[in-house]
Amino acid sequence: MTGDWLDEIRWTSEGLIPVIAQQADTGKVLMFAWMNRESLALTVEEGYAVYWSRSRNRLWRKGEESGHRQKVISLYLDCDEDVILLAVDQHDGIACHTGRHSCFYRKLVDGQWQAVDPVLKDPKAIYNHE
């Protein structure tokens, strides 16, 4: 596979592109993250989401610690060529490090953020490093 398709993307000045991960079968938005050229190429090559962690300044294979990998079903580039949409199958149905299905679990209700989605698994059980 040639890298020409990577050249069609409008990368940020930091060499990144924003990525939205969406559950393929329901359309539910799971999370937002960033990719660089290498992580996007690896995502396509491996078939599982690989992001760029700005906080860790390194590649981050989704699920590398939790086991909650994202199998990529399809990949889309928006009309402005500056946002990627990943349609994924979320392993175990948990995308968020809080143990929820989606990272977008807080809703603005009467001027306050309220959690509207349940915790499916205690994060302590997900990220047990003992």
Side-chain angles (χ1 to χ4, degrees), residues 14-73:
E14 296 85 20
L16 302 173
I17 189 166
V19 181
I20 300 164
Q22 177 183 53
Q23 181 64 41
D25 58 351
T26 66
K28 172 112 175 150
V29 174
L30 300 175
M31 57 178 275
F32 168 86
W34 295 93
M35 286 186 176
N36 63 9
R37 285 180 78 96
E38 183 181 10
S39 63
L40 182 53
L42 285 169
T43 295
V44 171
E45 181 182 318
E46 297 175 4
Y48 287 88
V50 180
Y51 298 106
W52 177 256
S53 172
R54 294 183 307 161
S55 61
R56 293 176 260 186
N57 201 36
R58 68 169 178 84
L59 292 175
W60 159 47
R61 283 175 167 76
K62 177 66 176 156
E64 65 189 16
E65 293 181 37
S66 66
H68 300 145
R69 299 174 72 194
Q70 292 175 338
K71 180 167 180 43
V72 177
I73 306 304

Side-chain angles (χ1 to χ4, degrees), residues 100-111:
R100 291 176 172 87
H101 178 58
S102 169
C103 293
F104 297 96
Y105 64 89
R106 289 181 274 198
K107 180 178 178 181
L108 187 62
V109 179
D110 296 327

